[in-house]
CSV table of all heavy atoms in Angstrom, one decimal:
chain,number,residue,atom,x,y,z
Q,1,VAL,N,0.9,-1.2,0.0
Q,1,VAL,CA,0.0,0.0,0.0
Q,1,VAL,C,0.9,1.2,0.0
Q,1,VAL,O,1.7,1.4,0.9
Q,1,VAL,CB,-0.9,0.0,1.2
Q,1,VAL,CG1,-1.8,1.3,1.2
Q,1,VAL,CG2,-1.7,-1.2,1.3
Q,2,TYR,N,0.8,2.0,-1.0
Q,2,TYR,CA,1.6,3.2,-1.2
Q,2,TYR,C,0.8,4.5,-0.9
Q,2,TYR,O,-0.4,4.5,-1.1
Q,2,TYR,CB,2.2,3.4,-2.6
Q,2,TYR,CG,3.2,2.3,-2.9
Q,2,TYR,CD1,2.8,1.2,-3.7
Q,2,TYR,CD2,4.5,2.5,-2.6
Q,2,TYR,CE1,3.8,0.2,-4.0
Q,2,TYR,CE2,5.5,1.5,-2.9
Q,2,TYR,CZ,5.1,0.4,-3.6
Q,2,TYR,OH,6.0,-0.6,-3.9
Q,3,ALA,N,1.4,5.5,-0.4
Q,3,ALA,CA,0.7,6.8,-0.1
Q,3,ALA,C,0.2,7.4,-1.3
Q,3,ALA,O,-0.8,8.1,-1.3
Q,3,ALA,CB,1.7,7.7,0.7
Q,4,SER,N,0.9,7.3,-2.5
Q,4,SER,CA,0.4,7.9,-3.7
Q,4,SER,C,0.9,7.1,-4.9
Q,4,SER,O,1.6,6.1,-4.8
Q,4,SER,CB,1.0,9.3,-3.8
Q,4,SER,OG,2.4,9.3,-4.1
Q,5,ASN,N,0.5,7.5,-6.1
Q,5,ASN,CA,0.8,6.7,-7.3
Q,5,ASN,C,2.3,6.9,-7.7
Q,5,ASN,O,2.7,6.2,-8.6
Q,5,ASN,CB,-0.1,7.1,-8.5
Q,5,ASN,CG,0.0,8.6,-8.9
Q,5,ASN,OD1,0.6,9.4,-8.2
Q,5,ASN,ND2,-0.6,8.9,-10.0
Q,6,GLU,N,3.0,7.8,-7.0
Q,6,GLU,CA,4.5,7.8,-7.3
Q,6,GLU,C,5.2,6.6,-6.7
Q,6,GLU,O,6.4,6.4,-7.0
Q,6,GLU,CB,5.1,9.1,-6.7
Q,6,GLU,CG,4.8,10.3,-7.6
Q,6,GLU,CD,3.5,11.1,-7.1
Q,6,GLU,OE1,3.2,11.0,-5.9
Q,6,GLU,OE2,2.9,11.7,-8.0
Q,7,ARG,N,4.5,5.9,-5.8
Q,7,ARG,CA,5.1,4.7,-5.1
Q,7,ARG,C,6.4,5.0,-4.4
Q,7,ARG,O,7.3,4.2,-4.4
Q,7,ARG,CB,5.3,3.6,-6.1
Q,7,ARG,CG,4.0,3.1,-6.8
Q,7,ARG,CD,4.3,1.9,-7.6
Q,7,ARG,NE,3.0,1.4,-8.2
Q,7,ARG,CZ,2.9,0.1,-8.6
Q,7,ARG,NH1,3.9,-0.7,-8.5
Q,7,ARG,NH2,1.8,-0.3,-9.2
Q,8,GLU,N,6.5,6.1,-3.7
Q,8,GLU,CA,7.7,6.5,-3.0
Q,8,GLU,C,7.6,6.1,-1.5
Q,8,GLU,O,8.6,5.7,-0.9
Q,8,GLU,CB,7.9,8.0,-3.1
Q,8,GLU,CG,8.3,8.4,-4.5
Q,8,GLU,CD,8.4,9.9,-4.6
Q,8,GLU,OE1,8.1,10.6,-3.7
Q,8,GLU,OE2,8.9,10.4,-5.7
Q,9,THR,N,6.4,6.2,-0.9
Q,9,THR,CA,6.2,5.9,0.5
Q,9,THR,C,5.3,4.7,0.7
Q,9,THR,O,4.1,4.8,0.3
Q,9,THR,CB,5.6,7.1,1.2
Q,9,THR,OG1,6.5,8.3,0.9
Q,9,THR,CG2,5.5,6.9,2.7
Q,10,VAL,N,5.9,3.6,1.3
Q,10,VAL,CA,5.1,2.4,1.6
Q,10,VAL,C,4.4,2.6,2.9
Q,10,VAL,O,5.0,3.0,3.9
Q,10,VAL,CB,5.9,1.2,1.6
Q,10,VAL,CG1,5.1,0.0,2.0
Q,10,VAL,CG2,6.6,1.0,0.3
Q,11,VAL,N,3.1,2.4,3.0
Q,11,VAL,CA,2.3,2.6,4.2
Q,11,VAL,C,2.2,1.2,4.9
Q,11,VAL,O,2.4,1.1,6.1
Q,11,VAL,CB,0.9,3.1,3.9
Q,11,VAL,CG1,0.0,3.1,5.1
Q,11,VAL,CG2,1.0,4.5,3.3
Q,12,SER,N,2.0,0.2,4.1
Q,12,SER,CA,1.8,-1.1,4.7
Q,12,SER,C,1.7,-2.1,3.6
Q,12,SER,O,2.0,-1.8,2.4
Q,12,SER,CB,0.5,-1.2,5.5
Q,12,SER,OG,0.4,-2.4,6.2
Q,13,SER,N,1.3,-3.4,3.9
Q,13,SER,CA,1.0,-4.4,2.9
Q,13,SER,C,-0.2,-5.1,3.3
Q,13,SER,O,-0.4,-5.3,4.5
Q,13,SER,CB,2.2,-5.4,2.7
Q,13,SER,OG,3.3,-4.8,2.2
Q,14,LEU,N,-1.1,-5.5,2.3
Q,14,LEU,CA,-2.3,-6.2,2.6
Q,14,LEU,C,-2.4,-7.4,1.7
Q,14,LEU,O,-1.9,-7.4,0.6
Q,14,LEU,CB,-3.5,-5.3,2.3
Q,14,LEU,CG,-3.6,-4.0,3.2
Q,14,LEU,CD1,-4.9,-3.2,2.7
Q,14,LEU,CD2,-3.7,-4.3,4.6
Q,15,ASP,N,-2.9,-8.5,2.3
Q,15,ASP,CA,-3.1,-9.7,1.5
Q,15,ASP,C,-4.4,-9.6,0.7
Q,15,ASP,O,-5.5,-9.2,1.2
Q,15,ASP,CB,-3.3,-10.9,2.5
Q,15,ASP,CG,-2.0,-11.3,3.2
Q,15,ASP,OD1,-0.9,-10.9,2.6
Q,15,ASP,OD2,-2.0,-11.9,4.2
Q,16,ILE,N,-4.3,-10.0,-0.6
Q,16,ILE,CA,-5.5,-10.1,-1.4
Q,16,ILE,C,-5.6,-11.5,-2.0
Q,16,ILE,O,-4.6,-12.1,-2.5
Q,16,ILE,CB,-5.3,-9.1,-2.6
Q,16,ILE,CG1,-5.3,-7.7,-2.1
Q,16,ILE,CG2,-6.5,-9.3,-3.6
Q,16,ILE,CD1,-5.2,-6.6,-3.2
Q,17,PRO,N,-6.8,-12.1,-1.9
Q,17,PRO,CA,-7.0,-13.5,-2.4
Q,17,PRO,C,-6.8,-13.5,-3.9
Q,17,PRO,O,-7.3,-12.5,-4.6
Q,17,PRO,CB,-8.4,-13.8,-2.0
Q,17,PRO,CG,-9.1,-12.6,-1.7
Q,17,PRO,CD,-8.0,-11.6,-1.3
Q,18,CYS,N,-6.2,-14.5,-4.4
Q,18,CYS,CA,-5.9,-14.6,-5.8
Q,18,CYS,C,-5.8,-16.1,-6.3
Q,18,CYS,O,-5.8,-17.0,-5.5
Q,18,CYS,CB,-4.6,-13.9,-6.2
Q,18,CYS,SG,-3.2,-14.6,-5.4
Q,19,SER,N,-5.7,-16.2,-7.6
Q,19,SER,CA,-5.5,-17.6,-8.1
Q,19,SER,C,-4.0,-17.8,-8.4
Q,19,SER,O,-3.2,-16.8,-8.4
Q,19,SER,CB,-6.3,-17.7,-9.5
Q,19,SER,OG,-5.8,-16.7,-10.4
Q,20,LYS,N,-3.6,-19.0,-8.6
Q,20,LYS,CA,-2.2,-19.4,-8.9
Q,20,LYS,C,-2.0,-19.2,-10.4
Q,20,LYS,O,-2.9,-19.2,-11.1
Q,20,LYS,CB,-1.9,-20.8,-8.5
Q,20,LYS,CG,-1.8,-21.0,-7.0
Q,20,LYS,CD,-1.3,-22.4,-6.6
Q,20,LYS,CE,-1.1,-22.5,-5.1
Q,20,LYS,NZ,-0.7,-23.8,-4.7
Q,21,PRO,N,-0.8,-19.0,-10.8
Q,21,PRO,CA,0.4,-18.9,-10.1
Q,21,PRO,C,0.6,-17.5,-9.5
Q,21,PRO,O,0.2,-16.5,-10.1
Q,21,PRO,CB,1.5,-19.2,-11.1
Q,21,PRO,CG,0.9,-18.8,-12.4
Q,21,PRO,CD,-0.6,-19.0,-12.3
Q,22,LEU,N,1.2,-17.4,-8.3
Q,22,LEU,CA,1.3,-16.2,-7.6
Q,22,LEU,C,2.2,-15.2,-8.3
Q,22,LEU,O,2.0,-14.0,-8.2
Q,22,LEU,CB,1.7,-16.4,-6.2
Q,22,LEU,CG,0.8,-17.3,-5.3
Q,22,LEU,CD1,1.4,-17.5,-3.9
Q,22,LEU,CD2,-0.6,-16.7,-5.2
Q,23,HIS,N,3.2,-15.7,-9.0
Q,23,HIS,CA,4.2,-14.8,-9.6
Q,23,HIS,C,3.6,-13.9,-10.7
Q,23,HIS,O,4.0,-12.8,-10.9
Q,23,HIS,CB,5.4,-15.5,-10.2
Q,23,HIS,CG,5.0,-16.3,-11.4
Q,23,HIS,ND1,4.5,-17.6,-11.3
Q,23,HIS,CD2,5.1,-16.0,-12.7
Q,23,HIS,CE1,4.3,-18.1,-12.5
Q,23,HIS,NE2,4.7,-17.1,-13.4
Q,24,GLN,N,2.4,-14.3,-11.3
Q,24,GLN,CA,1.8,-13.5,-12.3
Q,24,GLN,C,1.3,-12.2,-11.7
Q,24,GLN,O,1.2,-11.2,-12.4
Q,24,GLN,CB,0.6,-14.3,-12.9
Q,24,GLN,CG,-0.6,-14.5,-12.0
Q,24,GLN,CD,-1.7,-15.3,-12.7
Q,24,GLN,OE1,-1.7,-15.4,-13.9
Q,24,GLN,NE2,-2.5,-15.9,-11.8
Q,25,TRP,N,0.9,-12.2,-10.5
Q,25,TRP,CA,0.4,-11.0,-9.8
Q,25,TRP,C,1.5,-10.1,-9.5
Q,25,TRP,O,1.4,-8.8,-9.6
Q,25,TRP,CB,-0.5,-11.4,-8.6
Q,25,TRP,CG,-1.6,-12.2,-9.0
Q,25,TRP,CD1,-1.8,-13.6,-8.7
Q,25,TRP,CD2,-2.7,-11.9,-9.9
Q,25,TRP,NE1,-3.0,-14.0,-9.3
Q,25,TRP,CE2,-3.6,-13.0,-10.0
Q,25,TRP,CE3,-3.1,-10.7,-10.5
Q,25,TRP,CZ2,-4.7,-13.0,-10.7
Q,25,TRP,CZ3,-4.3,-10.7,-11.2
Q,25,TRP,CH2,-5.1,-11.9,-11.4
Q,26,THR,N,2.6,-10.6,-9.1
Q,26,THR,CA,3.8,-9.8,-8.8
Q,26,THR,C,4.3,-9.1,-10.1
Q,26,THR,O,4.6,-7.9,-10.1
Q,26,THR,CB,4.9,-10.6,-8.2
Q,26,THR,OG1,4.4,-11.3,-7.0
Q,26,THR,CG2,6.1,-9.8,-7.8
Q,27,GLN,N,4.3,-9.9,-11.1
Q,27,GLN,CA,4.7,-9.3,-12.4
Q,27,GLN,C,3.8,-8.3,-13.0
Q,27,GLN,O,4.2,-7.4,-13.7
Q,27,GLN,CB,4.9,-10.5,-13.5
Q,27,GLN,CG,6.0,-11.4,-13.2
Q,27,GLN,CD,6.0,-12.6,-14.1
Q,27,GLN,OE1,5.0,-13.0,-14.7
Q,27,GLN,NE2,7.2,-13.3,-14.1
Q,28,ALA,N,2.5,-8.3,-12.6
Q,28,ALA,CA,1.6,-7.3,-13.0
Q,28,ALA,C,1.8,-5.9,-12.3
Q,28,ALA,O,1.2,-5.0,-12.7
Q,28,ALA,CB,0.1,-7.8,-12.7
Q,29,GLY,N,2.7,-5.9,-11.3
Q,29,GLY,CA,3.0,-4.7,-10.6
Q,29,GLY,C,1.9,-4.2,-9.7
Q,29,GLY,O,1.6,-3.0,-9.6
Q,30,LEU,N,1.2,-5.1,-9.1
Q,30,LEU,CA,0.1,-4.7,-8.2
Q,30,LEU,C,0.5,-3.8,-7.1
Q,30,LEU,O,1.5,-3.9,-6.5
Q,30,LEU,CB,-0.5,-6.0,-7.5
Q,30,LEU,CG,-1.3,-7.0,-8.4
Q,30,LEU,CD1,-1.8,-8.1,-7.5
Q,30,LEU,CD2,-2.4,-6.3,-9.1
Q,31,ALA,N,-0.4,-2.8,-6.9
Q,31,ALA,CA,-0.1,-1.9,-5.8
Q,31,ALA,C,-1.5,-1.3,-5.4
Q,31,ALA,O,-2.3,-1.0,-6.2
Q,31,ALA,CB,0.8,-0.8,-6.2
Q,32,LEU,N,-1.6,-1.1,-4.1
Q,32,LEU,CA,-2.8,-0.3,-3.6
Q,32,LEU,C,-2.3,1.1,-3.3
Q,32,LEU,O,-1.2,1.3,-2.8
Q,32,LEU,CB,-3.3,-1.0,-2.3
Q,32,LEU,CG,-4.0,-2.3,-2.5
Q,32,LEU,CD1,-4.1,-3.1,-1.2
Q,32,LEU,CD2,-5.4,-2.0,-3.1
Q,33,LEU,N,-3.1,2.1,-3.6
Q,33,LEU,CA,-2.7,3.5,-3.5
Q,33,LEU,C,-3.7,4.2,-2.6
Q,33,LEU,O,-4.9,4.0,-2.8
Q,33,LEU,CB,-2.7,4.1,-4.9
Q,33,LEU,CG,-1.9,3.4,-6.0
Q,33,LEU,CD1,-2.2,4.1,-7.3
Q,33,LEU,CD2,-0.5,3.3,-5.7
Q,34,LEU,N,-3.2,5.0,-1.7
Q,34,LEU,CA,-4.2,5.8,-0.9
Q,34,LEU,C,-4.8,6.9,-1.7
Q,34,LEU,O,-5.9,7.3,-1.6
Q,34,LEU,CB,-3.5,6.4,0.3
Q,34,LEU,CG,-3.0,5.4,1.4
Q,34,LEU,CD1,-2.5,6.1,2.6
Q,34,LEU,CD2,-4.1,4.4,1.8
């Protein structure tokens, strides 16, 4: 979870349910933005 779309300040991390393979979601560049 980043404070803004610049992705400079990490606020936290949250778990999101997903399907396998997990690496596909990491490669998609997932981020939550405040």
Side-chain angles (χ1 to χ4, degrees):
V1 180
Y2 292 98
S4 70
N5 63 349
E6 283 93 29
R7 296 186 180 203
E8 293 175 351
T9 305
V10 176
V11 174
S12 185
S13 295
L14 298 178
D15 290 338
I16 296 181
C18 64
S19 59
K20 286 187 176 181
L22 298 180
H23 71 274
Q24 69 183 339
W25 301 111
T26 305
Q27 291 172 340
L30 289 183
L32 288 162
L33 313 170
L34 294 186

